[in-house]
Amino acid sequence: MEVRWEVFLIILGAALVTFIPRVVPLMILSRFELPEWGMRWLNYVPISVMAALIGQEILLNDGKFSSIANNVELFAAIPTFWIAVKTRSLLGTVLVGVISLMILRMFF
Amino acid sequence: MSTQNIQLDAIPSPKQEDSFLKGVKDCIPTLLGYLSIGLAAGVVQKTAGLSIAEIALISLMLYAGSAQFIAAGMIAVSSSPVAIIVTIFIVNLRHILLSAALSPYFRHLTPLRNMLVGTLLTDETFGVAINQTVNKQQISEKWMHGLNITAYLNWFIANIAGAFLAQWISDPDQFGLQFALPAMFIGILVISMMDRNKIKLDLVVAILAVIIAVASSFVFSGSVGVILATLIASTVGMVLEKWK
């Protein structure tokens, strides 16, 4: 149950460089009235971040393109998107996604 | 803004502010995703040679999925502490954008209280929070803490459970659970787009973000790819909206 000194320093440093980007914009930007274009720009951030994360998760495998034929995650994404559109339920979407991949894994 | 605030205060709001407990409940859909990734992180960190105490510390202090995987991998191959910290800084830089995007909804709080809101910010809690903002001018502080703290405890428990399970599970990717995370992102993306009434523009931005994220991750790293994709695709969205 020991904590090595070097590992502790790594965790402390990593925690600090993670903490700052998390809190500084909230602390500073909430003080100002942002210009209209700034608000409009921020409005697209959630869409862009989520789409970028999904794209990398589904299309890439260890930093390389997964071949389309073997990419079970890409196929599992189809029912997942469909359920998300139909039900608008986050929990339902997660469950259908996991079950889809599990079923696909049995066959491929 | 100040006049708006006064008006809002003067009119008694018909709905009460969202409670801590509602935040806890709204976190439930993300728990499975956190749990599976946290378990996997616990297994990977244990296999990389971290002790249970170190895993507890890293999940409580760093509290960031991808960064913890990277830290475990780099500690296992004895990378220098500076290299590990710099890598994690880059990987987690996208939080600047998430934090900035939430800031207009927390204008009613002091900087110190905003700091507390941001301390436990993740992709997932950001997604849930931003989906709450339709037709709202602010997010309840109590609600946000309910959401954040539930996610945080679940993450810690999952990491520790994964560390104990490491002796039996060699491959945490079994059972389709690794798809819980992308599925959650898909849910957050689709639900927020459907609430916004600008589907066409949003689709253009989303597809552009995917292309940039994937293409630039061949040149740079995956996390730089996400930041570039967000910066460029959001700018295109902003310009197109103005131009239409």
Side-chain angles (χ1 to χ4, degrees):
Chain A
M1 287 300 281
E2 92 291 13
V3 175
R4 286 162 286 174
W5 178 238
E6 197 191 60
V7 172
F8 177 74
L9 284 183
I10 292 171
I11 295 174
L12 188 69
L16 204 67
V17 298
T18 303
F19 173 73
I20 292 166
R22 270 178 174 155
V23 301
V24 168
L26 261 167
M27 292 173 74
I28 294 178
L29 293 180
S30 58
R31 293 284 90 193
F32 298 100
E33 181 74 35
L34 287 172
E36 195 262 347
W37 62 265
M39 289 295 291
R40 204 153 10 91
W41 189 82
L42 286 179
N43 225 311
Y44 284 99
V45 166
I47 305 281
S48 312
V49 170
M50 290 298 152
L53 290 171
I54 294 167
Q56 288 188 349
E57 290 272 355
I58 292 178
L59 297 175
L60 299 179
N61 194 356
D62 287 331
K64 294 186 193 113
F65 254 120
S66 320
S67 69
I68 298 284
N70 294 326
N71 192 347
V72 279
E73 297 209 354
L74 187 60
F75 290 107
I78 297 167
T80 310
F81 266 107
W82 188 78
I83 284 292
V85 172
K86 285 292 162 196
T87 65
R88 292 193 187 201
S89 150
L90 193 52
L91 188 59
T93 306
V94 172
L95 289 176
V96 167
V98 169
I99 293 167
S100 305
L101 192 75
M102 204 164 63
I103 294 171
L104 283 165
R105 275 278 153 81
M106 289 176 192
F107 296 102
F108 299 101
Chain B
M1 185 66 205
S2 55
T3 50
Q4 265 180 328
N5 268 340
I6 291 163
Q7 276 179 345
L8 280 176
D9 290 342
I11 306 161
S13 65
K15 270 194 293 182
Q16 273 201 317
E17 202 190 37
D18 287 334
S19 66
F20 185 88
L21 202 63
K22 181 159 187 302
V24 174
K25 280 183 193 153
D26 288 338
C27 191
I28 291 172
T30 72
L31 291 185
L32 183 63
Y34 273 104
L35 200 63
S36 56
I37 305 301
L39 279 174
V43 172
V44 169
Q45 287 161 157
K46 193 77 178 67
T47 323
L50 271 72
S51 70
I52 300 277
E54 286 166 348
I55 293 172
L57 208 60
I58 199 171
S59 63
L60 289 174
M61 287 177 65
L62 181 52
Y63 182 48
S66 46
Q68 285 179 228
F69 281 100
I70 290 163
M74 290 182 81
I75 289 172
V77 297
S78 307
S79 306
S80 81
V82 174
I84 299 175
I85 293 167
V86 169
T87 306
I88 288 175
F89 175 65
I90 296 166
V91 168
N92 282 336
L93 261 184
R94 71 177 183 291
H95 288 118
I96 287 185
L97 301 166
L98 307 184
S99 179
L102 277 184
S103 65
Y105 302 100
F106 289 102
R107 287 245 169 77
H108 56 296
L109 300 184
T110 60
L112 184 70
R113 292 167 86 170
N114 264 310
M115 189 189 83
L116 295 176
V117 164
T119 304
L120 297 182
L121 186 62
T122 66
D123 293 318
E124 294 86 347
T125 56
F126 167 78
V128 174
I130 211 78
N131 280 358
Q132 288 284 311
T133 58
V134 190
N135 303 326
K136 276 190 193 170
Q137 296 214 330
Q138 47 179 250
I139 298 174
S140 150
E141 182 189 15
K142 286 182 206 137
W143 178 86
M144 193 69 196
H145 285 320
L147 173 71
N148 274 340
I149 290 168
T150 310
Y152 185 57
L153 291 178
N154 182 49
W155 177 253
F156 171 68
I157 293 166
N159 267 261
I160 298 300
F164 280 107
L165 286 175
Q167 35 192 322
W168 296 291
I169 301 181
S170 52
D171 177 16
D173 279 356
Q174 280 171 315
F175 316 118
L177 276 179
Q178 86 271 31
F179 199 65
L181 190 70
M184 187 159 61
F185 292 146
I186 289 173
I188 289 172
L189 178 70
V190 169
I191 293 165
S192 63
M193 276 172 61
M194 289 175 72
D195 285 337
R196 282 161 55 108
N197 298 325
K198 34 184 172 180
I199 288 280
K200 275 187 199 160
L201 210 52
D202 282 350
L203 273 178
V204 172
V205 170
I207 291 167
L208 188 65
V210 169
I211 294 169
I212 299 169
V214 170
S216 60
S217 67
F218 294 120
V219 186
F220 312 102
S221 66
S223 44
V224 172
V226 170
I227 295 166
L228 275 181
T230 307
L231 291 176
I232 299 171
S234 302
T235 306
V236 169
M238 176 192 82
V239 171
L240 283 180
E241 191 181 308
K242 184 83 181 174
W243 177 57
K244 272 175 99 174

